[in-house]
Amino acid sequence: MQSDSLVIVPTYNESHNIERVIDRLMVLDNKVDVLVIDDGSPDGTADHVRNAIEKYPDRVHLIEREGKLGLGTAYVRGFKFALKHGYTYVCEMDADFSHDPDDVDRLIEEVRSGNTDVAVGSRYSNGISIINWPLSRLILSYGANIYARTITGLPIFDTTAGFKCIHRKVLEEISIDRIRSNGYAFQIEIHFRAWKAGFRLKEVSIVFREREEGVSKMSKAIVREAIWRVWSLKFSSIFGTL
């Protein structure tokens, strides 16, 4: 029987991590299905996902794309898959163990219990809960969140959080085809659109750890997109074109 919960995991060169992540998700108290969206990883990430599909038939799914098309478009593709296949609770999660798979249970339960419509795995709601980041990156991330929160008015501390659970009614309401952000600004846009549509956002404190294997996907282009995108969202909201 299909689970009512789907965890979407975008990947690019995560062959060292993806099978281990899936193994951890398969034994959670809340039964979840997993959808991996791989952007043509040259390291064979998709082959590792196919191994997992053999181990967990009907619970692990794979969408392969031909190249690096971006985080935002990957999640939108995943959201459409979730809606089409009847999932109620839709989670976002990284493949690199910076997000603890065990915390997925906590996020789902916050939404399932009716406490919130979007449960945000937050690095900043209870002080700073980040392990092994260099000071320069911590300052950049913390400053970016203050910047985004100040401009948009979002009622959460971790506006760029990429670890969350979303009720399907949110995705049905916010017109996911209108989402234009593709880097970490995508996370700000999801939170902003949900909040402006009247849905509840609640932060759930998590411990974020620097990735165990592989290379960070952060780039200057991603930072630049986030800087201008918050203003675009703000003005779109003011003029009713969001």
Side-chain angles (χ1 to χ4, degrees):
M1 177 185 247
Q2 175 181 294
S3 168
D4 62 0
S5 304
L6 180 70
V7 181
I8 303 170
V9 185
T11 55
Y12 183 76
N13 285 350
E14 296 290 356
S15 62
H16 294 290
N17 297 314
I18 190 60
E19 283 193 71
R20 293 187 297 132
V21 166
I22 292 171
D23 286 340
R24 290 278 300 278
L25 291 170
M26 290 294 102
V27 297
L28 295 178
D29 290 338
N30 277 298
K31 180 183 176 183
V32 301
D33 293 346
V34 176
L35 170 63
V36 177
I37 302 178
D38 185 64
D39 273 4
S41 298
D43 72 344
T45 297
D47 291 331
H48 288 271
V49 178
R50 279 187 278 270
N51 291 340
I53 290 172
E54 291 184 6
K55 291 168 63 178
Y56 311 107
D58 302 322
R59 293 189 63 192
V60 179
H61 309 278
L62 172 65
I63 293 175
E64 294 182 78
R65 306 198 298 175
E66 293 184 355
K68 291 187 71 174
L69 302 179
L71 183 75
T73 59
Y75 274 126
V76 168
R77 181 80 178 270
F79 293 159
K80 290 180 178 180
F81 179 97
L83 294 175
K84 179 180 178 181
H85 291 88
Y87 292 97
T88 303
Y89 308 103
V90 184
C91 300
E92 298 182 14
M93 180 181 170
D94 290 348
D96 58 13
F97 283 100
S98 56
H99 300 146
D100 185 343
D102 291 342
D103 286 332
V104 170
D105 270 339
R106 298 170 56 216
L107 298 176
I108 292 174
E109 280 307 308
E110 285 293 335
V111 181
R112 191 191 300 276
S113 66
N115 289 335
T116 189
D117 303 307
V118 182
V120 180
S122 177
R123 301 162 291 182
Y124 301 123
S125 63
N126 186 24
I128 297 175
S129 303
I130 297 176
I131 295 175
N132 292 334
W133 259 12
L135 182 60
S136 59
R137 185 167 181 189
L138 178 58
I139 292 171
L140 174 63
S141 175
Y142 194 76
N145 275 283
I146 293 174
Y147 172 81
R149 192 168 69 249
T150 300
I151 294 170
T152 62
L154 273 165
I156 56 175
F157 289 98
D158 199 347
T159 63
T160 59
F163 192 25
K164 62 176 66 73
C165 178
I166 309 170
H167 196 287
R168 68 173 290 120
K169 65 186 177 184
V170 178
L171 301 176
E172 291 171 333
E173 177 68 23
I174 64 174
S175 303
I176 56 178
D177 281 324
R178 294 175 64 90
I179 295 172
R180 294 293 175 263
S181 305
N182 208 22
Y184 288 103
F186 169 82
Q187 307 297 356
I188 302 172
E189 182 166 353
I190 284 288
H191 296 144
F192 189 73
R193 287 182 178 275
W195 177 53
K196 283 298 182 180
F199 293 106
R200 298 165 296 162
L201 279 63
K202 180 179 179 180
E203 290 181 279
V204 178
S205 182
I206 57 128
V207 175
F208 182 96
R209 292 174 172 81
E210 177 64 305
R211 60 182 302 124
E212 296 182 0
E213 300 277 357
V215 179
S216 171
K217 310 304 190 296
M218 177 65 74
S219 69
K220 291 180 180 179
I222 287 173
V223 174
R224 286 196 297 269
E225 181 196 29
I227 289 171
W228 70 260
R229 188 59 177 148
V230 292
W231 287 105
S232 174
L233 291 169
K234 178 71 171 179
F235 288 126
S236 293
S237 176
I238 291 172
F239 293 110
T241 58
L242 188 64

